[in-house]
Amino acid sequence: MNSDYQDIFRTEGPLALALPHYAYRPEQALMAKAVGAALARLTPLIVEAGTGTGKTFAYLIPALLSGRSVIISTGTRTLQDQLFRRDVPMLAKALGLPVKIALLKGRTNYLCRHRLDLATQQGSLLGPERGVTRMLARVSRWAATTKTGDLAELTDLPEQSSLWPSITSTRENCLGQECAQFSRCHVFDARRNAQAADIVVVNHHLLLADLALKEEGFGDLLPGAEAVILDEAHQVPDIAAQFFGQVWSVRQVQVLMRDITAELQAAAIRAPAIVEAVIAVDGYLDRLRFALARGAGRQEWSDLPDAFLDLLPDIENALSDLAVQLENLGGGAGTANCSRRAAHVANTLAALRELSDDSGLRWVETGTTGMTLQFTPFEIAERLREYVESRPCAWVFTSATLAIGEDFSHFAARIGLAEARTLRIDSPFDYANQARLFLPPRMPEPQDAAFADKFIDACAPLLQASGGRAFLLYTSYRGLAEGVRALKARFPEPPFPVLVQGEAPREALLNRFRELGNAVLLATGSFWEGVDVKGDALSIVAIDKLPFAAPDDPLLKARLEGIRRRGGNPFFEYQLPQAVLALKQGVGRLIRDFDDFGVIVIGDPRIRSKAYGRVFLESMPPSPVVSESAVAAQFLSDRLHPRQRAAPADAESLR
Ligand code: SF4
């Protein structure tokens, strides 16, 4: 090992002196050494680091020591904040390395003073949302004092507020150096700070928006970087597919129409033909929404009604005409910008209409915030590979779930780096002693009507033994609803508090779970990853079914179709490995520390009955497998009440 790392990680080293509970972990030092080598040679590296490795420090320390300018990208804002506010400053201090660090968010997080001025002058154009005028006044008062312009400071501005696009900029509507507010611009301030920093912390959305030159990106983040470290990297391929496609949104066009009206009024320009054209476009948008009678959800292009498709060329022509009229107007920077944006949205719509279905999937999404027309490419690997290879820069991808067993080929192929160096580091936790994997016998098939009740029946002895302290994780909202019903039926007066996803925001629910100490939480989706509950409060993680993604999702269909077209096998190349990674994420919620213990329950009988079940089993932590609920329950009792410990309940088999 490089002597720098030996000195840093040793038990009397600077980390041990700076961190009260520091313990030497060989896994952490091993990862740090590999990341250090990638940074020195400017080569790509993919690292799976099991829970408890301490991977954040294992990449931050080489990043700090390298002296290179490094971008660190995270999957969540929580980790982004933790790195910027706590981890990097603390390590830089411990190592005595003065570094400049910056936190950079996407444009839509910063106040745009130009657009705030427009919104304030033209309050009547803000729309009918309740309280929007009062909120705008609140934003204006805050704008007079804020130093960063980061809208997160305004904690009472709801994320869904219609005010948001009126007070933030996009790459398209930003006036740049022509803007009267340029010298006070928060967006450019944040960008300048990032360019002058040694370490810039961003999130994957911003990084990939930047790579793909999309609206919320800045377009110049990467050229100056010598290393990019992506934590929570398992999320990267899906986010990349989102940004490497095309999106045309009704809301984007509505905002443009409002901006045109506001810019004309602000510049006191009378242009009745343009006003009429704006009204016509708004009318088309109403008809477009009306033509899609189906409610919220995703719909493939081939299923769209003619009444919808026939409107698209009319909208495209109206937007192109508007662009020309605005250009000929000879107004200021504001109207010139609107002209460019109108041309851009017309071109995007034209591209979407003409795109070949051989290279991706076209689809429409309707939701509470409006309607979007989208194109998602089948493959993003080639484009990512081009970025990675286009400049000398070290790319490090890390997460607790990237490999299937020992095999990284699924993830490496998705990001286009099949030849990258890979490293898998086992968790330092003692799973053989800390956990059991309980596979209930005689479970019905997942689609059986009795499945939800049988699953709760299988978990019941464990819940009784632990007095709650469980996550019951479901693969669908329907399964969750069935699970809630089945739990109520099995425990009409449950001897533990029951929490259900949706009763409160995610963080509030998790805090409540930690405070209660013996609750049972039933959840799906977002609770499968990024949740960290240490200690006895979480002693059971029970998963109802193997997490294969819903086959009717157009995005999944697009990926499967892409694999089929190049002669691959979608199940083995995509669905199975994705499900294995998702299961690893869910299971990873249980053991978060060296003192933790508990039982993992997997209710789906296919893990044993199907040949592919072996792939799941081989990716599970090395805990003994048990198939009798009494044995699993005894393990929990022994750990929770060690003094009353009876004869040791041992595992039936070791895989
Ligand atoms: S430069 Fe762009 S982001 Fe900054 S205030 Fe002007 S329009 Fe807004």
Side-chain angles (χ1 to χ4, degrees):
M1 189 191 301
N2 178 315
S3 64
D4 280 348
Y5 296 120
Q6 261 172 357
D7 283 351
I8 289 164
F9 286 108
R10 72 192 156 86
T11 38
E12 308 81 30
L15 291 185
L17 293 175
L19 309 174
H21 302 294
Y22 177 77
Y24 172 71
R25 299 179 210 182
E27 297 83 2
Q28 190 175 42
L30 178 67
M31 176 170 166
K33 189 184 163 201
V35 174
L39 262 57
R41 295 184 204 131
L42 299 180
T43 49
L45 173 70
I46 303 173
V47 191
E48 179 180 277
T51 323
T53 303
K55 69 175 157 42
T56 313
F57 284 13
Y59 63 72
L60 285 180
I61 289 170
L64 288 165
L65 289 176
S66 71
R68 295 199 183 279
S69 63
V70 181
I71 293 176
I72 297 174
S73 183
T74 70
T76 55
R77 284 208 189 137
T78 318
L79 181 57
Q80 197 184 4
D81 277 340
Q82 178 195 311
L83 290 174
F84 175 70
R85 293 185 207 293
R86 197 188 72 188
D87 295 348
V88 179
M90 186 177 69
L91 282 177
K93 193 170 163 213
L95 300 177
L97 292 169
V99 287
K100 269 198 202 146
I101 169 168
L103 177 73
L104 189 63
K105 302 181 178 178
R107 276 177 175 275
T108 46
N109 292 280
Y110 298 100
L111 173 73
C112 167
R113 290 189 174 276
H114 167 67
R115 296 184 64 72
L116 176 64
D117 285 349
L118 275 185
T120 314
Q121 286 164 27
Q122 311 302 328
S124 59
L125 296 171
L126 283 175
E129 187 180 299
R130 244 177 110 227
V132 73
T133 314
R134 187 179 42 78
M135 199 63 223
L136 184 66
R138 165 98 179 81
V139 175
S140 297
R141 284 197 301 280
W142 164 80
T145 57
T146 179
K147 291 203 166 56
T148 64
D150 185 344
L151 286 156
E153 291 172 15
L154 270 175
T155 46
D156 47 349
L157 177 65
E159 268 184 38
Q160 294 304 325
S161 171
S162 64
L163 200 54
W164 213 268
S166 302
I167 55 171
T168 59
S169 65
T170 63
R171 251 170 73 85
E172 272 73 36
N173 67 26
C174 172
L175 304 182
Q177 296 193 6
E178 291 174 20
C179 177
Q181 299 280 5
F182 185 69
S183 61
R184 303 174 65 209
C185 175
H186 296 298
V187 171
F188 283 88
D189 257 4
R191 195 159 83 164
R192 269 191 295 273
N193 286 342
Q195 281 164 344
D198 306 303
I199 293 192
V200 185
V201 184
V202 301
N203 61 39
H204 298 337
H205 278 88
L206 174 56
L207 183 77
L208 291 159
D210 219 65
L211 274 179
L213 297 176
K214 287 287 153 80
E215 281 200 345
E216 25 173 323
F218 298 100
D220 59 2
L221 202 55
L222 281 162
E226 294 168 291
V228 183
I229 298 173
L230 298 100
D231 198 346
E232 299 170 325
H234 58 282
Q235 300 177 2
V236 168
D238 284 351
I239 300 175
Q242 205 176 310
F243 285 105
F244 290 169
Q246 295 272 3
V247 182
W248 186 91
S249 87
V250 166
R251 190 169 183 189
Q252 183 188 21
V253 181
Q254 283 171 327
V255 171
L256 171 61
M257 295 305 114
R258 267 200 331 242
D259 287 352
I260 293 171
T261 311
E263 292 286 2
L264 291 178
Q265 289 181 6
I269 297 172
R270 257 185 56 75
I274 293 180
V275 173
E276 259 177 46
V278 166
I279 294 169
V281 170
D282 276 333
Y284 279 130
L285 296 181
D286 287 341
R287 285 169 61 193
L288 198 63
R289 281 193 301 256
F290 191 67
L292 210 60
R294 235 175 74 165
R298 292 173 174 175
Q299 211 166 331
E300 278 185 57
W301 203 271
S302 53
D303 296 337
L304 294 171
D306 288 344
F308 183 94
L309 292 170
D310 291 346
L311 279 167
L312 300 183
D314 295 338
I315 298 176
E316 185 193 316
N317 290 335
L319 289 168
S320 298
D321 288 350
L322 245 178
V324 175
Q325 289 186 56
L326 284 162
E327 193 184 359
N328 293 340
L329 199 63
T335 49
N337 175 273
C338 287
S339 166
R340 283 194 295 275
R341 284 162 62 197
H344 174 76
V345 285
N347 291 340
T348 309
L349 186 56
L352 272 164
R353 289 178 50 229
E354 285 155 20
L355 268 165
S356 149
D357 290 332
D358 289 341
S359 56
L361 185 94
R362 291 181 296 169
W363 49 290
V364 173
E365 173 134 24
T366 320
T368 45
T369 54
M371 176 195 287
T372 53
L373 281 56
Q374 311 203 24
F375 170 81
T376 302
F378 290 140
E379 304 277 358
I380 49 105
E382 256 325 292
R383 286 194 58 189
L384 263 179
R385 183 192 178 89
E386 279 167 22
Y387 285 116
V388 170
E389 290 181 346
S390 63
R391 59 183 72 88
C393 179
W395 289 74
V396 177
F397 296 83
T398 185
S399 162
T401 50
L402 294 175
I404 313 297
E406 296 289 330
D407 182 8
F408 282 89
S409 58
H410 171 67
F411 179 76
R414 286 196 78 197
I415 58 167
L417 296 179
E419 293 93 37
R421 195 182 158 226
T422 58
L423 175 67
R424 202 179 71 78
I425 297 177
D426 279 330
S427 165
F429 297 146
D430 180 3
Y431 280 97
N433 278 312
Q434 290 179 261
R436 294 290 179 268
L437 173 58
F438 172 42
L439 305 179
R442 298 174 293 283
M443 282 294 291
E445 288 300 308
Q447 64 279 10
D448 193 297
F451 183 87
D453 291 295
K454 293 283 182 199
F455 178 59
I456 292 295
D457 286 348
C459 295
L462 282 68
L463 294 173
Q464 275 156 341
S466 62
R469 306 167 199 275
F471 273 5
L472 305 187
L473 296 180
Y474 290 86
T475 51
S476 68
Y477 284 97
R478 203 171 133 208
L480 173 62
E482 276 285 283
V484 172
R485 180 201 53 72
L487 187 77
K488 280 186 184 155
R490 185 70 170 69
F491 294 100
E493 288 179 26
F496 37 72
V498 176
L499 305 173
V500 180
Q501 179 178 352
E503 288 174 346
R506 181 175 178 272
E507 280 314 309
L509 216 50
L510 283 170
N511 287 337
R512 184 102 186 94
F513 184 87
R514 289 188 189 99
E515 281 160 23
L516 286 165
N518 68 334
V520 172
L521 170 70
L522 294 93
T524 181
S526 62
F527 285 80
W528 281 66
E529 62 176 278
V531 174
D532 195 22
V533 180
K534 292 191 173 82
D536 295 359
L538 183 59
S539 302
I540 302 169
V541 169
I543 289 172
D544 71 334
K545 298 174 187 172
L546 298 177
F548 289 109
D552 52 353
D553 177 18
L555 283 177
L556 177 65
K557 273 191 189 172
R559 283 183 200 121
L560 303 186
E561 185 56 29
I563 296 170
R564 225 171 270 127
R565 283 177 196 215
R566 61 170 165 71
N569 181 319
F571 180 75
F572 286 105
E573 283 184 39
Y574 189 87
Q575 287 167 291
L576 178 61
Q578 282 298 110
V580 171
L581 294 176
L583 186 68
K584 278 172 76 170
Q585 277 289 345
V587 164
R589 299 311 102 217
L590 182 66
I591 305 295
R592 309 300 299 173
D593 212 341
F594 289 92
D595 299 330
D596 283 0
F597 62 88
V599 174
I600 300 155
V601 186
I602 297 174
D604 195 326
R606 292 175 295 180
I607 199 164
R608 273 188 157 157
S609 64
K610 298 285 183 193
Y612 61 71
R614 185 184 48 79
V615 187
F616 287 97
L617 280 175
E618 285 171 0
S619 290
M620 290 297 96
S623 300
V625 177
V626 298
S627 50
E628 287 304 324
S629 57
V631 178
Q634 186 67 53
F635 173 81
L636 288 168
S637 296
D638 290 347
R639 297 300 169 119
L640 279 162
H641 316 289
R643 291 213 191 93
Q644 302 152 24
R645 194 169 174 153
D650 213 346
E652 293 155 25
S653 66
L654 275 166
R655 275 162 298 137

